[in-house]
Coordinates of all heavy atoms in Angstrom, one line a residue:
M285 N -4.2 6.6 -1.3 CA -5.6 6.8 -1.7 C -6.5 6.2 -0.7 O -6.2 5.2 -0.1 CB -5.8 6.2 -3.1 CG -7.1 6.6 -3.7 SD -7.0 6.5 -5.5 CE -6.9 4.7 -5.6
I286 N -7.6 7.0 -0.5 CA -8.6 6.5 0.6 C -9.2 5.1 0.1 O -9.7 5.0 -1.1 CB -9.7 7.5 0.8 CG1 -9.1 8.8 1.3 CG2 -10.8 7.0 1.8 CD1 -8.3 8.6 2.7
A287 N -9.3 4.2 0.9 CA -9.8 2.9 0.6 C -10.5 2.2 1.8 O -10.3 2.7 3.0 CB -8.7 2.0 0.1
T288 N -11.3 1.2 1.5 CA -12.0 0.5 2.6 C -11.8 -1.0 2.3 O -11.7 -1.4 1.1 CB -13.5 0.9 2.7 OG1 -14.0 0.3 3.9 CG2 -14.3 0.5 1.5
S289 N -11.5 -1.8 3.3 CA -11.1 -3.2 3.1 C -12.3 -4.2 3.1 O -13.2 -4.0 3.9 CB -10.0 -3.5 4.2 OG -10.6 -3.5 5.4
E290 N -12.0 -5.2 2.4 CA -13.0 -6.4 2.4 C -12.1 -7.6 2.7 O -11.1 -7.8 2.0 CB -13.7 -6.5 1.1 CG -14.5 -7.8 1.0 CD -15.0 -8.1 -0.4 OE1 -14.5 -7.5 -1.4 OE2 -16.0 -8.8 -0.6
R291 N -12.4 -8.4 3.7 CA -11.7 -9.6 4.0 C -12.3 -10.8 3.2 O -13.5 -11.0 3.2 CB -11.7 -9.9 5.5 CG -10.8 -11.1 5.8 CD -10.5 -11.1 7.3 NE -9.7 -10.0 7.8 CZ -8.3 -10.0 7.6 NH1 -7.7 -11.1 7.1 NH2 -7.6 -9.0 8.1
V292 N -11.5 -11.4 2.4 CA -12.0 -12.5 1.5 C -11.3 -13.8 2.0 O -10.1 -13.9 2.2 CB -11.6 -12.2 0.0 CG1 -12.0 -13.4 -0.8 CG2 -12.2 -11.0 -0.4
R293 N -12.2 -14.8 2.3 CA -11.7 -16.1 2.8 C -10.8 -16.8 1.7 O -11.3 -17.0 0.6 CB -12.8 -17.0 3.2 CG -13.5 -16.6 4.5 CD -13.1 -17.5 5.6 NE -13.6 -17.1 6.9 CZ -12.8 -16.5 7.8 NH1 -11.5 -16.3 7.6 NH2 -13.3 -16.0 8.9
G294 N -9.6 -17.2 2.1 CA -8.8 -18.0 1.3 C -9.1 -19.5 1.6 O -10.0 -19.8 2.3
S295 N -8.2 -20.4 1.0 CA -8.5 -21.8 1.2 C -7.8 -22.4 2.4 O -7.9 -23.6 2.7 CB -8.1 -22.6 -0.1 OG -6.7 -22.2 -0.4
G296 N -7.0 -21.6 3.1 CA -6.3 -22.1 4.3 C -6.5 -21.1 5.5 O -7.0 -20.0 5.3
P297 N -6.0 -21.5 6.6 CA -6.1 -20.6 7.8 C -5.5 -19.3 7.7 O -5.9 -18.3 8.3 CB -5.6 -21.5 9.0 CG -4.7 -22.5 8.3 CD -5.3 -22.8 7.0
D298 N -4.4 -19.3 7.0 CA -3.6 -18.0 6.8 C -3.8 -17.4 5.5 O -3.0 -16.6 4.9 CB -2.1 -18.3 7.1 CG -1.9 -18.7 8.5 OD1 -2.6 -18.2 9.4 OD2 -1.1 -19.6 8.7
A299 N -4.8 -17.9 4.7 CA -4.9 -17.5 3.3 C -5.9 -16.4 3.1 O -6.2 -16.1 2.0 CB -5.3 -18.8 2.5
D300 N -6.4 -15.8 4.2 CA -7.3 -14.7 4.0 C -6.6 -13.6 3.2 O -5.4 -13.3 3.4 CB -7.8 -14.2 5.3 CG -8.8 -15.1 5.9 OD1 -9.1 -16.2 5.3 OD2 -9.4 -14.7 7.0
L301 N -7.4 -13.0 2.3 CA -7.0 -11.8 1.6 C -7.7 -10.5 2.0 O -8.8 -10.6 2.4 CB -7.3 -12.1 0.1 CG -6.2 -12.9 -0.7 CD1 -6.8 -13.1 -2.1 CD2 -4.9 -12.2 -0.8
L302 N -6.9 -9.4 2.0 CA -7.5 -8.2 2.2 C -7.6 -7.4 0.9 O -6.6 -7.2 0.3 CB -6.7 -7.4 3.2 CG -7.4 -6.4 4.1 CD1 -8.5 -7.1 5.0 CD2 -6.4 -5.8 5.0
I303 N -8.8 -7.2 0.5 CA -9.0 -6.4 -0.8 C -9.4 -5.0 -0.5 O -10.3 -4.8 0.3 CB -10.1 -7.1 -1.7 CG1 -9.9 -8.6 -1.8 CG2 -10.3 -6.4 -3.0 CD1 -8.7 -8.9 -2.7
W304 N -8.6 -4.1 -1.1 CA -8.9 -2.6 -0.9 C -9.8 -2.1 -2.0 O -9.5 -2.2 -3.2 CB -7.7 -1.8 -0.8 CG -6.9 -2.2 0.4 CD1 -5.7 -2.9 0.5 CD2 -7.1 -1.7 1.8 NE1 -5.3 -3.0 1.8 CE2 -6.1 -2.3 2.6 CE3 -8.1 -0.9 2.3 CZ2 -6.1 -2.0 4.0 CZ3 -8.0 -0.7 3.7 CH2 -7.0 -1.2 4.5
H305 N -11.0 -1.6 -1.6 CA -11.9 -1.0 -2.5 C -11.9 0.5 -2.4 O -11.6 1.1 -1.3 CB -13.3 -1.5 -2.3 CG -13.6 -2.9 -2.6 ND1 -13.9 -3.4 -3.8 CD2 -13.5 -4.0 -1.7 CE1 -14.0 -4.8 -3.7 NE2 -13.8 -5.1 -2.5
V306 N -12.3 1.2 -3.4 CA -12.5 2.6 -3.4 C -13.9 3.0 -2.9 O -14.9 2.6 -3.5 CB -12.2 3.3 -4.7 CG1 -12.5 4.8 -4.7 CG2 -10.8 3.0 -5.2
P307 N -14.0 3.6 -1.7 CA -15.3 3.8 -1.2 C -16.1 5.0 -1.9 O -15.4 5.9 -2.5 CB -15.1 4.3 0.3 CG -13.7 4.8 0.2 CD -12.9 4.1 -0.8
V308 N -17.4 4.9 -1.9 CA -18.2 6.0 -2.6 C -19.1 6.6 -1.5 O -19.9 5.9 -0.9 CB -19.0 5.4 -3.7 CG1 -19.9 6.5 -4.3 CG2 -18.1 4.9 -4.8
G309 N -18.9 7.8 -1.2 CA -19.7 8.4 -0.2 C -19.4 7.9 1.2 O -18.4 7.3 1.4
A310 N -20.3 8.2 2.1 CA -20.1 7.8 3.5 C -20.8 6.5 3.9 O -21.5 6.0 3.1 CB -20.6 8.9 4.5
V311 N -20.4 6.0 5.0 CA -21.1 4.7 5.5 C -22.5 5.2 5.9 O -22.7 6.1 6.6 CB -20.3 4.2 6.7 CG1 -21.1 3.0 7.3 CG2 -18.9 3.7 6.3
V312 N -23.5 4.4 5.4 CA -24.9 4.6 5.7 C -25.4 3.3 6.3 O -25.5 2.3 5.6 CB -25.7 5.0 4.5 CG1 -27.2 5.2 4.8 CG2 -25.1 6.3 3.8
E313 N -25.8 3.4 7.6 CA -26.4 2.3 8.3 C -25.5 1.0 8.1 O -26.0 -0.1 7.7 CB -27.8 2.0 7.8 CG -28.8 3.0 8.2 CD -30.2 2.8 7.7 OE1 -30.4 1.8 7.1 OE2 -31.1 3.7 7.9
D314 N -24.2 1.2 8.4 CA -23.2 0.1 8.4 C -23.0 -0.4 7.0 O -22.6 -1.5 6.8 CB -23.6 -1.0 9.3 CG -23.5 -0.6 10.7 OD1 -22.7 0.3 11.0 OD2 -24.1 -1.3 11.6
F315 N -23.4 0.3 6.0 CA -23.2 -0.1 4.6 C -22.3 0.9 3.8 O -22.6 2.1 3.8 CB -24.5 -0.3 3.9 CG -24.4 -0.8 2.4 CD1 -24.3 -2.1 2.2 CD2 -24.4 0.1 1.4 CE1 -24.2 -2.6 0.9 CE2 -24.3 -0.3 0.1 CZ -24.2 -1.7 -0.2
Q316 N -21.2 0.4 3.2 CA -20.4 1.3 2.5 C -20.4 1.0 1.0 O -20.1 -0.1 0.6 CB -18.9 1.1 2.9 CG -17.9 1.8 2.1 CD -18.0 3.3 2.3 OE1 -17.7 3.9 3.3 NE2 -18.3 4.0 1.2
A317 N -20.9 1.9 0.2 CA -20.9 1.7 -1.2 C -19.5 1.8 -1.8 O -18.7 2.5 -1.2 CB -21.8 2.8 -1.9
I318 N -19.2 1.0 -2.8 CA -17.9 1.0 -3.4 C -17.9 1.2 -4.8 O -18.9 0.9 -5.5 CB -17.1 -0.4 -3.0 CG1 -18.0 -1.6 -3.4 CG2 -16.7 -0.4 -1.6 CD1 -17.4 -2.9 -3.1
A319 N -16.8 1.7 -5.4 CA -16.8 2.2 -6.8 C -17.0 1.1 -7.8 O -17.4 1.4 -8.9 CB -15.4 2.9 -7.0
C320 N -16.7 -0.2 -7.5 CA -16.7 -1.2 -8.6 C -18.1 -1.8 -8.7 O -18.3 -2.6 -9.6 CB -15.7 -2.3 -8.2 SG -16.0 -3.1 -6.7
S321 N -19.1 -1.3 -7.9 CA -20.4 -2.0 -8.1 C -21.5 -0.9 -7.8 O -21.4 -0.2 -6.8 CB -20.6 -3.2 -7.1 OG -21.9 -3.6 -7.1
D322 N -22.5 -0.9 -8.6 CA -23.7 -0.1 -8.3 C -24.6 -0.6 -7.2 O -25.3 0.2 -6.6 CB -24.5 0.1 -9.6 CG -23.8 0.9 -10.6 OD1 -22.9 1.7 -10.2 OD2 -24.1 0.8 -11.9
E323 N -24.6 -1.9 -7.1 CA -25.6 -2.6 -6.2 C -24.9 -3.1 -4.9 O -25.5 -3.1 -3.8 CB -26.3 -3.7 -6.9 CG -27.2 -3.2 -7.9 CD -27.5 -4.1 -9.0 OE1 -27.3 -5.4 -8.8 OE2 -27.9 -3.8 -10.1
E324 N -23.7 -3.7 -5.1 CA -23.1 -4.3 -3.9 C -22.2 -3.3 -3.2 O -21.7 -2.4 -3.8 CB -22.3 -5.5 -4.4 CG -23.2 -6.6 -4.9 CD -22.4 -7.8 -5.3 OE1 -21.4 -8.2 -4.6 OE2 -22.7 -8.4 -6.3
G325 N -22.0 -3.6 -1.9 CA -21.1 -2.8 -1.1 C -20.6 -3.7 0.0 O -20.7 -4.9 0.0
L326 N -20.0 -3.0 1.0 CA -19.5 -3.7 2.1 C -20.4 -3.4 3.3 O -20.7 -2.3 3.7 CB -18.1 -3.3 2.4 CG -17.1 -3.4 1.3 CD1 -15.7 -2.9 1.7 CD2 -17.0 -4.8 0.8
A327 N -20.8 -4.6 4.0 CA -21.6 -4.4 5.2 C -20.7 -4.3 6.4 O -19.7 -5.0 6.5 CB -22.5 -5.6 5.4
V328 N -20.9 -3.4 7.3 CA -20.1 -3.1 8.5 C -18.6 -3.0 8.0 O -17.8 -3.8 8.4 CB -20.3 -4.2 9.5 CG1 -19.8 -3.7 10.9 CG2 -21.8 -4.6 9.7
P329 N -18.3 -2.1 7.3 CA -16.9 -1.9 6.8 C -16.0 -1.6 7.9 O -16.4 -1.1 9.0 CB -17.0 -0.8 5.8 CG -18.1 0.0 6.2 CD -19.1 -1.0 6.8
S330 N -14.7 -1.8 7.7 CA -13.8 -1.6 8.8 C -13.3 -0.2 8.8 O -12.4 0.2 9.6 CB -12.5 -2.5 8.5 OG -12.0 -2.2 7.2
G331 N -13.9 0.7 8.1 CA -13.5 2.1 8.1 C -12.6 2.4 6.9 O -12.2 1.5 6.2
Q332 N -12.4 3.7 6.7 CA -11.6 4.2 5.6 C -10.2 4.5 6.0 O -10.0 4.9 7.1 CB -12.3 5.4 4.9 CG -13.7 5.1 4.4 CD -14.3 6.3 3.7 OE1 -13.7 7.4 3.6 NE2 -15.5 6.1 3.3
R333 N -9.3 4.1 5.1 CA -7.9 4.3 5.4 C -7.2 4.9 4.3 O -7.6 4.6 3.1 CB -7.2 3.0 5.8 CG -6.9 2.8 7.3 CD -6.2 1.5 7.5 NE -4.9 1.5 6.9 CZ -4.2 0.3 6.8 NH1 -4.7 -0.8 7.3 NH2 -3.0 0.3 6.2
D334 N -6.1 5.6 4.5 CA -5.3 6.1 3.3 C -4.3 5.0 3.0 O -3.4 4.6 3.8 CB -4.5 7.4 3.7 CG -4.1 8.1 2.5 OD1 -4.4 7.7 1.3 OD2 -3.5 9.2 2.6
V335 N -4.4 4.4 1.8 CA -3.6 3.2 1.5 C -2.8 3.5 0.3 O -3.3 4.1 -0.7 CB -4.6 2.0 1.2 CG1 -3.8 0.8 0.7 CG2 -5.5 1.7 2.4
P336 N -1.5 3.2 0.3 CA -0.6 3.4 -0.9 C -1.0 2.6 -2.0 O -1.5 1.4 -1.8 CB 0.8 3.1 -0.4 CG 0.6 2.2 0.8 CD -0.7 2.6 1.4
L337 N -0.9 3.1 -3.2 CA -1.2 2.3 -4.4 C -0.3 1.1 -4.6 O -0.7 0.1 -5.1 CB -1.1 3.2 -5.7 CG -2.3 4.1 -5.9 CD1 -2.0 5.0 -7.1 CD2 -3.6 3.4 -6.0
R338 N 0.9 1.3 -4.1 CA 1.8 0.1 -4.2 C 1.8 -0.5 -2.8 O 2.4 0.0 -1.9 CB 3.2 0.5 -4.6 CG 3.3 1.0 -6.0 CD 4.7 1.3 -6.4 NE 4.7 2.3 -7.5 CZ 5.6 3.2 -7.7 NH1 6.6 3.3 -7.0 NH2 5.5 4.0 -8.8
L339 N 1.2 -1.6 -2.7 CA 1.0 -2.3 -1.4 C 2.3 -3.2 -1.2 O 2.7 -3.9 -2.0 CB -0.2 -3.2 -1.4 CG -1.5 -2.5 -1.4 CD1 -2.7 -3.4 -1.8 CD2 -1.8 -1.8 -0.1
D340 N 2.8 -3.0 0.1 CA 3.9 -3.8 0.5 C 3.5 -5.2 1.1 O 4.2 -6.1 1.0 CB 4.8 -3.1 1.5 CG 5.3 -1.8 1.0 OD1 5.5 -1.7 -0.3 OD2 5.5 -0.9 1.8
A341 N 2.4 -5.1 1.8 CA 2.0 -6.3 2.6 C 1.6 -7.5 1.7 O 0.9 -7.3 0.7 CB 0.9 -5.9 3.5
T342 N 1.9 -8.6 2.1 CA 1.4 -9.8 1.4 C 0.0 -10.1 1.8 O -0.4 -9.7 3.0 CB 2.3 -11.1 1.7 OG1 2.4 -11.2 3.1 CG2 3.6 -10.9 1.1
G343 N -0.8 -10.7 1.0 CA -2.2 -10.9 1.4 C -3.1 -9.7 1.2 O -4.2 -9.8 1.6
E344 N -2.6 -8.7 0.6 CA -3.4 -7.5 0.4 C -3.3 -7.1 -1.1 O -2.3 -7.3 -1.7 CB -2.9 -6.3 1.2 CG -3.1 -6.5 2.7 CD -2.8 -5.2 3.5 OE1 -2.9 -4.1 2.9 OE2 -2.5 -5.3 4.7
S345 N -4.4 -6.7 -1.6 CA -4.4 -6.2 -3.0 C -5.5 -5.2 -3.2 O -6.5 -5.2 -2.5 CB -4.5 -7.4 -4.0 OG -5.8 -8.0 -3.9
W346 N -5.3 -4.4 -4.2 CA -6.3 -3.5 -4.6 C -7.4 -4.1 -5.5 O -7.1 -5.1 -6.2 CB -5.8 -2.3 -5.5 CG -5.2 -1.2 -4.6 CD1 -3.9 -1.1 -4.2 CD2 -5.9 -0.1 -4.0 NE1 -3.7 0.0 -3.4 CE2 -4.9 0.7 -3.3 CE3 -7.2 0.3 -4.0 CZ2 -5.3 1.8 -2.6 CZ3 -7.6 1.4 -3.3 CH2 -6.6 2.2 -2.6
C347 N -8.7 -3.7 -5.4 CA -9.7 -4.1 -6.3 C -9.4 -3.5 -7.6 O -9.5 -2.2 -7.7 CB -11.0 -3.8 -5.8 SG -12.4 -4.0 -6.9
L348 N -9.1 -4.2 -8.6 CA -8.7 -3.6 -9.9 C -9.9 -2.9 -10.6 O -9.7 -1.9 -11.2 CB -8.2 -4.7 -10.9 CG -6.9 -5.3 -10.4 CD1 -6.4 -6.4 -11.4 CD2 -5.8 -4.3 -10.1
R349 N -11.1 -3.4 -10.3 CA -12.3 -2.7 -10.9 C -12.5 -1.4 -10.3 O -12.9 -0.4 -10.9 CB -13.5 -3.6 -10.7 CG -13.5 -4.8 -11.7 CD -14.5 -5.8 -11.3 NE -15.9 -5.4 -11.5 CZ -16.9 -5.9 -10.8 NH1 -16.6 -6.9 -10.0 NH2 -18.1 -5.4 -11.0
C350 N -12.2 -1.3 -8.9 CA -12.3 0.0 -8.3 C -11.3 1.0 -8.8 O -11.5 2.1 -9.1 CB -12.1 -0.2 -6.8 SG -13.7 -0.5 -5.9
L351 N -10.0 0.5 -9.0 CA -8.9 1.4 -9.4 C -9.3 1.9 -10.8 O -8.9 3.0 -11.2 CB -7.6 0.6 -9.4 CG -6.9 0.4 -8.1 CD1 -5.5 -0.1 -8.3 CD2 -6.8 1.8 -7.4
A352 N -9.9 1.0 -11.6 CA -10.2 1.5 -13.0 C -11.2 2.6 -13.0 O -11.3 3.3 -14.1 CB -10.8 0.2 -13.8
T353 N -11.9 2.9 -11.9 CA -12.8 3.9 -11.9 C -12.2 5.3 -11.5 O -12.8 6.3 -11.6 CB -14.0 3.6 -11.0 OG1 -13.5 3.7 -9.6 CG2 -14.7 2.3 -11.2
V354 N -11.0 5.2 -11.0 CA -10.3 6.3 -10.5 C -9.6 7.1 -11.6 O -8.8 6.4 -12.4 CB -9.3 5.9 -9.4 CG1 -8.5 7.2 -8.9 CG2 -10.0 5.3 -8.2
P355 N -9.8 8.4 -11.8 CA -9.1 9.1 -12.8 C -7.6 9.0 -12.6 O -7.1 9.0 -11.5 CB -9.6 10.5 -12.7 CG -10.8 10.4 -11.9 CD -10.7 9.2 -11.0
R356 N -6.9 8.8 -13.7 CA -5.4 8.6 -13.6 C -4.8 9.8 -12.8 O -3.9 9.6 -12.1 CB -4.8 8.6 -15.1 CG -3.3 8.3 -15.0 CD -2.9 8.0 -16.5 NE -3.4 6.7 -16.9 CZ -2.7 5.6 -16.7 NH1 -1.6 5.6 -16.1 NH2 -3.3 4.4 -17.1
S357 N -5.3 11.0 -13.1 CA -4.6 12.1 -12.4 C -4.8 12.0 -10.8 O -3.8 12.4 -10.1 CB -5.3 13.5 -12.8 OG -6.6 13.4 -12.6
R358 N -5.9 11.5 -10.4 CA -6.1 11.3 -9.0 C -5.2 10.3 -8.4 O -4.6 10.4 -7.4 CB -7.6 11.0 -8.7 CG -7.9 11.1 -7.2 CD -9.4 10.9 -7.0 NE -9.6 10.0 -5.9 CZ -10.7 9.3 -5.6 NH1 -11.7 9.4 -6.5 NH2 -10.8 8.6 -4.5
A359 N -5.0 9.2 -9.1 CA -4.2 8.1 -8.7 C -2.7 8.5 -8.6 O -2.0 8.3 -7.7 CB -4.3 6.9 -9.6
E360 N -2.3 9.4 -9.7 CA -0.9 9.8 -9.6 C -0.7 10.8 -8.6 O 0.4 10.9 -8.0 CB -0.6 10.4 -11.0 CG -0.4 9.3 -12.0 CD -0.2 9.8 -13.4 OE1 -0.3 11.0 -13.7 OE2 0.0 9.0 -14.4
G361 N -1.7 11.7 -8.3 CA -1.6 12.6 -7.2 C -1.4 11.9 -5.9 O -0.7 12.4 -5.1
S362 N -2.1 10.8 -5.8 CA -1.9 10.0 -4.5 C -0.5 9.5 -4.4 O 0.1 9.5 -3.3 CB -2.9 8.9 -4.5 OG -2.9 8.1 -3.4
I363 N 0.1 9.0 -5.5 CA 1.5 8.6 -5.4 C 2.4 9.7 -5.1 O 3.3 9.5 -4.2 CB 1.9 8.0 -6.8 CG1 1.1 6.7 -7.0 CG2 3.4 7.7 -6.9 CD1 1.3 6.1 -8.4
R364 N 2.2 10.9 -5.6 CA 3.0 12.0 -5.3 C 2.9 12.4 -3.8 O 3.9 12.6 -3.1 CB 2.6 13.2 -6.2 CG 3.4 13.3 -7.4 CD 3.3 14.7 -8.0 NE 2.0 15.0 -8.4 CZ 1.4 14.7 -9.6 NH1 2.2 14.0 -10.5 NH2 0.2 15.0 -9.9
A365 N 1.6 12.3 -3.3 CA 1.4 12.6 -1.9 C 2.2 11.6 -1.0 O 2.7 12.0 0.0 CB 0.0 12.5 -1.6
D366 N 2.4 10.4 -1.5 CA 3.1 9.4 -0.7 C 4.6 9.9 -0.5 O 5.2 9.5 0.5 CB 3.2 8.1 -1.4 CG 1.7 7.4 -1.3 OD1 0.9 7.8 -0.5 OD2 1.5 6.5 -2.0
R367 N 5.0 10.6 -1.5 CA 6.5 11.0 -1.5 C 6.8 12.3 -0.8 O 7.9 12.6 -0.6 CB 7.0 11.1 -3.0 CG 7.0 9.8 -3.7 CD 7.5 9.9 -5.1 NE 7.5 8.6 -5.8 CZ 7.4 8.6 -7.1 NH1 7.3 9.6 -7.8 NH2 7.4 7.4 -7.7
V368 N 5.7 13.0 -0.5 CA 5.9 14.4 0.0 C 6.7 14.3 1.3 O 7.7 15.1 1.5 CB 4.6 15.0 0.3 CG1 4.8 16.2 1.2 CG2 4.0 15.5 -1.0
G369 N 6.5 13.2 2.1 CA 7.2 13.1 3.4 C 8.7 12.9 3.2 O 9.4 13.1 4.2
H370 N 9.1 12.4 2.1 CA 10.5 12.1 1.9 C 11.3 13.2 1.2 O 12.5 13.1 1.0 CB 10.6 10.8 1.0 CG 9.9 9.7 1.6 ND1 10.3 9.1 2.7 CD2 8.8 9.0 1.2 CE1 9.4 8.1 3.0 NE2 8.5 8.1 2.1
R371 N 10.6 14.3 0.9 CA 11.2 15.4 0.2 C 12.0 16.2 1.1 O 11.6 16.5 2.2 CB 10.1 16.3 -0.5 CG 10.7 17.1 -1.6 CD 9.6 17.9 -2.3 NE 8.7 18.6 -1.4 CZ 7.5 19.0 -1.7 NH1 7.0 18.8 -2.9 NH2 6.8 19.7 -0.8
K372 N 13.2 16.6 0.7 CA 14.1 17.4 1.5 C 13.5 18.8 1.5 O 12.9 19.3 0.6 CB 15.5 17.5 0.9 CG 16.3 16.3 1.0 CD 17.6 16.5 0.4 CE 18.4 15.2 0.4 NZ 19.6 15.2 -0.5
P373 N 13.6 19.5 2.7 CA 13.1 20.9 2.8 C 13.9 21.8 1.9 O 15.1 21.6 1.6 CB 13.3 21.2 4.3 CG 14.3 20.3 4.8 CD 14.2 19.0 3.9
A374 N 13.2 22.9 1.3 CA 13.8 23.8 0.5 C 14.9 24.6 1.3 O 14.7 24.8 2.5 CB 12.8 24.8 -0.1
P375 N 16.0 24.9 0.7 CA 17.0 25.7 1.4 C 16.5 27.1 1.8 O 15.7 27.6 1.1 CB 18.2 25.8 0.4 CG 17.7 25.2 -0.8 CD 16.4 24.5 -0.7
E376 N 16.9 27.5 2.9 CA 16.4 28.8 3.4 C 16.9 30.0 2.5 O 18.1 29.9 2.0 CB 16.9 29.1 4.9 CG 16.2 28.1 5.8 CD 15.9 28.7 7.1 OE1 16.0 29.9 7.3 OE2 15.6 28.0 8.1
G377 N 16.0 30.9 2.3 CA 16.4 32.1 1.5 C 16.4 31.7 0.0 O 16.8 32.6 -0.8
A378 N 15.9 30.6 -0.4 CA 16.0 30.3 -1.9 C 14.8 31.0 -2.6 O 13.8 31.3 -2.0 CB 15.8 28.8 -2.1
Ligands
ZN93 ZN1 -13.9 -2.7 -5.7

C-alpha cells in the first residue's frame, strides 16, 4: 500500500522509529497531508513508497490511525497484490 514515512526519535542512537502513514493527495509546498489527521501532516516528506502491510523490518511500523481509515477491501487488495509476483503462471492452453 502507498505510504509516506515519518522518522520518530527514540531514546537511543539506534532507537529511531520509522512510522508509515497513508498519504492524502500530493505533496504541496513540501507538505504531505496524511490520513490520520485533518490538520497535521509531514513537512518535507521522504516521498511515497509501496509498503507491505506486514512489515519485516525492525524499527518500522504502520500508523494504526492511518490504517483505520483505509477500507478493508483496499487493504486486502494490497495484500493480494503483494502475492501476485509469487503466483505460478497459468499452464499454456488452459
Ligand atoms: Zn498516520
Side-chain angles (χ1 to χ4, degrees):
M285 192 156 65
I286 297 300
T288 189
S289 63
E290 173 189 18
R291 187 164 288 279
V292 177
R293 282 253 173 259
S295 54
D298 299 321
D300 284 5
L301 275 175
L302 209 59
I303 308 294
W304 292 102
H305 294 273
V306 176
V308 176
V311 175
V312 177
E313 294 178 3
D314 291 337
F315 182 84
Q316 172 68 67
I318 50 180
C320 61
S321 174
D322 288 338
E323 290 155 21
E324 292 181 42
L326 303 177
V328 197
S330 58
Q332 298 183 2
R333 257 182 60 191
D334 199 0
V335 176
L337 282 178
R338 288 183 206 152
L339 292 165
D340 300 332
T342 53
E344 294 188 22
S345 65
W346 276 97
C347 170
L348 295 181
R349 286 164 66 202
C350 273
L351 280 189
T353 68
V354 177
R356 183 169 291 272
S357 59
R358 192 175 137 201
E360 286 173 357
S362 182
I363 290 172
R364 270 197 296 276
D366 289 344
R367 291 182 183 153
V368 165
H370 304 292
R371 198 171 56 196
K372 289 180 185 166
E376 293 215 11

